[in-house]
Amino acid sequence: MTVAFDSHTGRLRLDQETFDCLVAWARGSAEPGPELSALRDAGAIQDGQPHPKVWPGLQAVTEPICRLQAGSIEHNGRRRIGDGWVSSEAAALLLDAPDGMRELVTVHPTFMPMTIARVVRLGPRPRAGSDPLHLPSALYNSLFDADEATRRQAAERLSVGASDLPLAAVVERLVTGPWRMWAVTLTWTTPDGQPAARGMQVADTGAGLCLVDTGGQDSTLWPTTATGVWRRLTLLLPDEVRTP
Amino acid sequence: MPASYPSEGESDVDLDEYRHPGTGCVVSVPPGWDRLEDPQTSVALIAREPEDPAGFRANLVVTVDDLSSGPDLEQWQADTDRLLRQELRNYFLLDREVMQFGDQPVVRRLAHHASPDTGPVTMEQWAMVSGSTGYTLTASVATLSYDSLADVFSSIARRFRPGSTRHDEEAT
């Protein structure tokens, strides 16, 4: 089965090729692909039209005001990615599903922060402290490696046992796991034609949350709370979507 | 790269101080917000931002619960967690912590809920016990406007002062 469609919720589960076919069909392609029949059989396309629950998301995909890219990696190296398209009427998010399929979720743009929060399982965490941890990018990469031994070596180089090391509990949890690093970036073109972007990267451990800054030769982990992460999530959308 | 990421802080917005006559609790309210005093049982005050036809009106609600039957702050708030999950549509708990306002323990929670009437709403709550009375300050705002009011809500919560209820006075 390459397509599963829930006409009640509008959730559409499909593989990437079928999604590409759906988008090509929506854009008017004469030969969108052989997957079109599966989309019809599942009810995502009815009588030559997208199902009403699919239509807003498909419009966002074909005529977006901004694009969204998301990704996460866990302590065991498991990666998931997400793609998104946002218009003034809808936000369509195409997310990796556990079975290798992808799931198209369509919500009103004002629900985008909540949808991301659910996907990354944002929730209460201990306060990790107040001081940021600055570290060379090579050490940072080792600290978030999929191999625990590599992470432990990086932590030892940071003197994780030292009482004055900022975020010591977070670093220790990065070694042992579980943790998830996730990032989301929105890009768009401003009304005067300039490229614009907003994004955030978060390290989520049971010992606390950190905003991550990886620009330049050094990387920084900034301690934060779920509230701090939520505030930034609510600010990601461009003004063109926030105030249509 | 920013020198530091901003964190939750205090707002420099001037706030009006309101004293609830029944409970004596003192609440700071943004200027121009409508006030409804004792609109229903256990609700001491509702304050709402001026009418906004574009969407959900941010608001503050002060509720007062009689805790003379015995629950302490944690027990009371554990019950509240269950109640919120049951009562609010699409409820999602984002943050929860026990914090201190001076020597007063306070449970703060941040949550999201949504219904067709309200759209997506971010709700921040502070709950504290004074004597045998539980006070809850609930601030709600349309989710995309949360950041613009978060520091104001935090200031209001930190300035909140519980009153001494008639029941407590009788008990002493």
Side-chain angles (χ1 to χ4, degrees), chain B residues 1 23 31 70 89 92 98-99 109-110 114 116 120 131 133 141 146 150 154 160 166:
Chain B
M1 187 172 75
T23 63
R89 293 182 64 174
F92 187 91
V98 180
M99 55 197 304
R109 66 169 60 78
L110 182 75
T133 303
V141 60
Y146 171 63
S154 181
F160 179 81
R166 190 177 301 119

Side-chain angles (χ1 to χ4, degrees), chain A residues 163-215:
Chain A
S163 59
D164 58 348
L165 177 72
L167 301 174
V170 168
V171 172
E172 181 58 36
R173 193 61 69 94
L174 288 174
V175 173
T176 61
W179 50 261
R180 174 187 293 115
M181 171 87 86
W182 58 269
V184 58
T185 304
L186 273 75
T187 54
W188 68 96
T189 303
T190 64
D192 58 357
Q194 298 300 310
R198 286 181 191 148
M200 59 193 296
Q201 187 170 349
V202 175
D204 184 356
T205 78
L209 290 153
C210 294
L211 291 163
V212 181
D213 190 334
T214 55

Side-chain angles (χ1 to χ4, degrees), chain A residues 20-31:
Chain A
D20 293 340
C21 169
L22 176 64
V23 174
W25 173 79
R27 288 188 168 131
S29 170
E31 296 182 14

Side-chain angles (χ1 to χ4, degrees), chain A residues 111 114 117-118 122-124 230, chain B residues 77-97 107-115 118-126 136 138-140:
Chain A
F111 282 85
M114 188 67 252
R118 284 187 188 277
L122 183 62
W230 179 248
Chain B
Q77 288 306 298
D79 290 342
T80 301
D81 283 326
R82 283 191 289 275
L83 194 66
L84 289 168
R85 279 196 300 271
Q86 293 167 4
E87 296 293 323
L88 293 176
R89 293 182 64 174
N90 301 300
Y91 180 78
F92 187 91
L93 180 66
L94 291 159
D95 204 358
R96 189 187 193 280
E97 63 180 339
V107 169
R108 184 187 73 90
R109 66 169 60 78
L110 182 75
H112 186 274
H113 62 91
S115 73
T118 64
V121 172
T122 295
M123 176 193 87
E124 194 159 11
Q125 245 181 11
W126 294 263
T136 307
T138 304
S140 301

